């Protein structure tokens, strides 16, 4: 079900209650976000995963009821005080949230697989259809991406020649090496 948002699971987010500005708190990166001690339902705007505007940022809200979800660096972050910050989003899971760069140099295999795995977990759960989106760019792949018989998972890109998965893996298995299975 594309268009899912986690917003309905929580009370209305509190915005920067300490300064009473009415705006969400902010952090430059995911790592900086982990150093914050949020209160229940606080909202934090993250500029990027490792740098501002790298596509990995977004809005996160503290879930006071969650004490066990693992920090995946993309959909759930664990703050310094142990509280879970959940990404608020609608639509597709973006591979940049998991660290994919699409610069043609960086090995994006693990980041894309992590996004696929998150999509599989959500598609297999209560959500129904989930889309994993690979934006415009050249994504270097050095290993097989695994998507096994998953009902409800869609893997999409920005369009022909806009999103390119570039195989840079081991060809020793023969002239054919699957990139996605």
């Amino acid at each position: 079900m594309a268009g899912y948002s986690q917003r309905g699971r929580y009370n209305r987010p509190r915005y920067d209650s300490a300064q009473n500005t009415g705006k969400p708190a902010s952090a430059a990166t995911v790592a900086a976000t982990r150093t914050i001690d949020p209160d229940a339902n606080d909202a934090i705007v993250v500029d990027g995963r490792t740098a501002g505007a790298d596509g990995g940022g977004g809005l996160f809200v503290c879930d006071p009821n969650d004490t066990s979800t693992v920090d995946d660096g993309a959909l759930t972050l664990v703050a310094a005080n142990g509280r879970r910050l959940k990404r608020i989003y609608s639509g597709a899971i973006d591979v940049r949230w998991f660290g994919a760069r699409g610069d043609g140099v960086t090995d994006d295999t693990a980041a894309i697989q992590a996004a696929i795995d998150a999509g599989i977990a959500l598609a297999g759960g209560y959500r129904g259809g989930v889309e994993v989106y690979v934006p415009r760019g050249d994504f270097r792949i050095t290993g097989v991406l695994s998507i096994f018989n998953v009902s409800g998972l869609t893997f999409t890109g920005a369009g022909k020649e806009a999103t390119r998965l570039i195989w840079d893996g081991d060809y020793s298995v023969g002239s054919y090496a699957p990139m996605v299975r």
Side-chain angles (χ1 to χ4, degrees):
M1 163 191 345
Y4 172 78
S5 172
Q6 292 183 341
R7 184 175 302 280
R9 291 185 52 205
Y10 314 109
N11 297 326
R12 186 169 186 219
R14 282 186 357 194
Y15 294 99
D16 204 0
S17 57
Q19 296 180 18
N20 199 22
T21 62
K23 296 180 180 178
S26 63
T29 64
V30 165
T33 305
R34 291 183 178 118
T35 67
I36 296 172
D37 288 330
D39 289 328
N41 300 313
D42 276 354
I44 301 170
V45 174
V46 181
D47 295 335
R49 181 175 174 85
T50 58
D54 65 4
L59 176 64
F60 290 80
V61 174
C62 181
D63 179 358
N65 301 315
D66 184 355
T67 59
S68 62
T69 302
V70 175
D71 184 331
D72 64 7
L75 300 178
T76 302
L77 306 177
V78 177
N81 62 3
R83 292 201 167 160
R84 272 50 181 181
L85 298 162
K86 303 289 182 79
R87 180 181 291 273
I88 303 300
Y89 68 101
S90 63
I93 295 171
D94 192 316
V95 298
R96 294 174 296 180
W97 299 348
F98 293 84
R101 307 276 308 207
D103 60 10
V105 177
T106 305
D107 182 357
D108 293 315
T109 309
I112 293 173
Q113 187 64 58
I116 291 168
D117 292 346
I120 289 170
L122 292 171
Y126 60 91
R127 285 191 51 179
V130 175
E131 178 183 356
V132 174
Y133 177 69
V134 185
R136 173 179 296 276
D138 295 331
F139 294 84
R140 187 170 156 253
I141 307 298
T142 60
V144 176
L145 298 172
S146 298
I147 308 174
F148 286 109
N149 298 324
V150 177
S151 176
L153 181 72
T154 306
F155 189 66
T156 61
K160 186 176 180 182
E161 298 300 320
T163 299
R164 297 184 335 153
L165 301 180
I166 300 170
W167 177 256
D168 193 17
D170 183 9
Y171 285 98
S172 67
V173 294
S175 61
Y176 170 75
M179 187 182 311
V180 178
R181 62 177 173 162

